[in-house]
Amino acid sequence: MQYTHLGRTGLCVSRLCLGTMNFGPHTDEADAHRIMDVAHEQGINFFDTANSYGGSGNRGRTEQIIGNWFAQGGGRRERTVLATKVYGATGEWPNESKLSALNIRRAVDASLKRLRTDYIDLYQMHHIDRDTPWEEIWQAMEVLVNQGKIVYVGSSNFAGWHIARAQEAAKARGFLGLTSEQSFYNLLERSVELEVLPAAEAYGLGVIPWSPLHGGLLGGVLRKDREGVRRLAGRAVDAVADKREQLQAYEDFAAELGHEPGDIALAWLLTRPAVTAPIVGPRTLEQLHAAVRAVELTLDQKTLERLDEIFPGHRTAPEAYAW
């Protein structure tokens, strides 16, 4: 496994981040524990979760599964850089969601209890809260840092200007502010290249791409459908129909290179500016092993240029649409 710093911090994390959203809804606790054990065996030390994960009617269950794994001891907690999130609703009453100081205070204590730990390494805002001022948010986060309940703060699904406002507000308070941004980013969805990536680079944030295979579309979906390994259903049918020509060209190119499409998609993200670690969310051990292969895959300039031809990206704004 390879390691890098999380943005401008001194924190070292693996180039892959283990996503846990499937733990509970799709992967039972025993299998989830085995996946986390093998992730450590493979050198993955960066785990991501959220206080709202666990499935409909069972929010928080994913954190509980991770907490039960930590409780087994053996250095599991000490070797893990733990990231979780706040924002999503955990109940039906007011102040049980978003980023008010009250919800942040209550949510972190509830997460710590479920996770069976006394601190969170990276506490991420799961979405921008347009109703809460940055002065309130940063004051609440400062209290948590001073209490030793969290170490770093990150964002998720922020626009570039949200990052700028957050960082300038933190700077005015003498606070470190954001250290990471978790964004929807992959070969098919490259909108963050317009402004989010430049903002992250400018402010020293590590980018943590989620859905790096675009819900499986970049994992060889056409071949798997032909072979009967994975039948297309629901929204995937429309998504594939819309992108079939690109996906076919991509899968043909992957076959030409002799690599799995999913490996190439992950390896490509590791070449992107500001990207720290894509989030891989395996349901099974087989999927975890497949993701680890990508770290060892090096893409040359010719390959990167061909991928840009198949999946055109964006230049930084405003050059992307003006002069």
Side-chain angles (χ1 to χ4, degrees):
M1 181 54 58
Q2 299 171 13
Y3 300 88
T4 190
H5 289 111
L6 180 65
R8 68 192 185 283
T9 74
L11 182 67
C12 288
V13 295
S14 50
R15 293 304 312 272
L16 290 180
C17 179
L18 181 70
T20 62
M21 190 169 63
N22 286 320
F23 295 177
H26 303 291
T27 304
D28 66 27
E29 183 161 343
D31 286 342
H33 286 184
R34 180 59 181 152
I35 287 172
M36 288 186 283
D37 280 334
V38 173
H40 269 186
E41 292 169 8
Q42 296 292 326
I44 297 175
N45 75 334
F46 193 15
F47 290 12
D48 175 76
T49 190
N51 65 343
S52 58
Y53 291 171
S56 179
N58 208 10
R59 290 168 289 198
R61 175 58 181 153
T62 302
E63 286 188 333
Q64 289 178 337
I65 290 172
I66 296 170
N68 292 341
W69 181 73
F70 285 151
Q72 296 177 31
R76 286 174 170 82
R77 176 65 186 96
E78 294 76 10
R79 293 197 299 267
T80 302
V81 175
L82 174 63
T84 192
K85 307 183 194 75
V86 57
Y87 181 93
T90 55
E92 307 305 325
W93 280 76
N95 302 310
E96 291 185 314
S97 65
K98 298 191 176 180
L99 301 177
S100 70
L102 179 60
N103 185 55
I104 288 173
R105 176 176 179 171
R106 290 173 173 172
V108 75
D109 286 341
S111 285
L112 290 169
K113 183 177 180 180
R114 288 189 293 265
L115 289 163
R116 301 174 73 169
T117 185
D118 56 1
Y119 71 100
I120 292 161
D121 298 286
L122 178 62
Y123 201 45
Q124 303 163 110
M125 294 170 272
H126 210 160
H127 197 277
I128 189 71
D129 183 351
R130 296 179 176 88
D131 298 324
T132 306
W134 279 111
E135 292 79 5
E136 178 179 350
I137 293 170
W138 283 139
Q139 183 183 56
M141 294 298 185
E142 287 169 10
V143 169
L144 299 187
V145 171
N146 291 334
Q147 290 176 334
K149 293 180 179 179
I150 68 173
V151 183
Y152 301 98
V153 181
S155 60
S156 181
N157 305 306
F158 275 30
W161 73 276
H162 296 144
I163 292 171
R165 287 195 66 189
Q167 292 305 82
E168 293 304 319
K171 182 179 178 181
R173 303 176 65 89
F175 190 58
L176 182 64
L178 299 174
T179 60
S180 63
E181 159 59 23
Q182 193 175 130
S183 287
F184 184 28
Y185 187 28
N186 54 59
L187 278 165
L188 273 166
E189 177 48 67
R190 299 177 61 170
S191 300
V192 294
E193 294 172 352
L194 287 164
E195 298 194 21
V196 175
L197 291 191
E201 283 190 279
Y203 284 104
L205 277 62
V207 174
I208 308 168
W210 61 266
S211 196
L213 302 187
H214 204 96
L217 294 187
L218 294 166
V221 65
L222 299 181
R223 185 195 68 201
K224 291 176 181 178
D225 183 51
R226 287 195 303 270
E227 296 174 352
V229 175
R230 177 179 177 176
R231 291 299 185 188
L232 294 173
R235 289 180 296 177
V237 175
D238 293 333
V240 168
D242 184 50
K243 302 292 185 181
R244 179 173 291 274
E245 184 176 343
Q246 284 177 291
L247 292 172
Q248 189 61 65
Y250 175 61
E251 292 187 21
D252 290 344
F253 183 50
E256 179 184 328
L257 294 174
H259 296 294
E260 288 295 318
D263 296 359
I264 295 172
L266 288 172
W268 175 81
L269 278 171
L270 293 173
T271 71
R272 299 299 88 193
V275 167
T276 293
I279 295 176
V280 294
R283 297 186 184 187
T284 65
L285 280 175
E286 180 182 5
Q287 292 175 342
L288 175 61
H289 288 304
V292 171
R293 288 196 306 263
V295 179
E296 303 301 324
L297 180 58
T298 300
L299 305 180
D300 60 26
Q301 187 59 36
K302 185 177 179 180
T303 297
L304 294 175
E305 290 172 359
R306 176 58 180 146
L307 290 173
D308 280 338
E309 290 175 2
I310 298 172
F311 301 111
H314 300 278
R315 290 184 295 160
T316 301
E319 288 85 354
Y321 47 78
W323 55 272

